[in-house]
Amino acid sequence: FNIENFDTDNCYNTSTFRFTPTVAGKYYFFASQRYTATGNYDTDLDLEIRKNGSGIARFRGINYHQDSRITQTIVEMNGSTDYVEATVYQSTGISLTIQPNNSDCFFGGYKLIGA
C-alpha cells in the first residue's frame, strides 16, 4: 500500500505503510487484497488489520484463484502514537503477486464524525 489516493491530514506514511491519525477518536478501517497467478491455486490466507502491531480485525480462510478478500473494523485511536497497518500472509509455498490496482487491493481509514 505505497500509493495514496487521498490523505487530507497527512496521516498515512507510504514508507512505513502505517496510518497514524493526529486527532483522537473512533476510526473506521478497511483492507482488501487479491492475488494474481497463473493456474489455479488454493491457499490459506490471513488478511489482517493491526493496531500498534496487534491484530484487531482479520479475514482468515481459503483464498481461491483470483478471489478478493476484505476485512474491516472500528477502533479507538489516541491521536498521537497509535497506528494502524494492514498485513497479508499466504501459505502456498510459492511466490504470489498482490493485484496492483486499487479496485482489488486497498487499505484505508477515516475518523467517524461525532464518535
Side-chain angles (χ1 to χ4, degrees):
F1 304 108
N2 60 353
I3 297 172
E4 292 179 306
N5 290 333
F6 303 101
D7 188 0
T8 57
D9 295 327
N10 293 319
C11 294
Y12 188 72
N13 185 319
T14 57
S15 298
T16 63
F17 314 112
R18 292 179 176 174
F19 184 96
T20 308
T22 56
V23 176
K26 290 182 177 64
Y27 284 77
Y28 173 76
F29 291 99
F30 51 93
S32 176
Q33 72 69 231
R34 178 180 168 192
Y35 291 116
T36 59
T38 57
N40 289 322
Y41 62 91
D42 300 336
T43 179
D44 290 334
L45 169 77
D46 282 340
L47 170 63
E48 187 172 58
I49 297 173
R50 301 169 63 97
K51 177 183 175 185
N52 300 330
S54 297
I56 57 172
R58 173 186 294 157
F59 169 86
R60 176 178 272 172
I62 300 295
N63 190 65
Y64 299 102
H65 182 68
Q66 305 281 345
D67 284 350
S68 295
R69 300 297 186 207
I70 191 166
T71 190
Q72 56 198 344
T73 191
I74 296 173
V75 63
E76 186 81 28
M77 303 295 284
N78 66 15
S80 57
T81 58
D82 286 341
Y83 67 89
V84 172
E85 59 195 344
T87 60
V88 179
Y89 299 96
Q90 57 89 8
S91 65
T92 62
I94 62 170
S95 179
L96 296 174
T97 301
I98 292 177
Q99 182 68 29
N101 73 50
N102 61 3
S103 67
D104 294 314
C105 184
F106 52 84
F107 168 56
Y110 53 86
K111 185 176 185 301
L112 298 173
I113 301 299

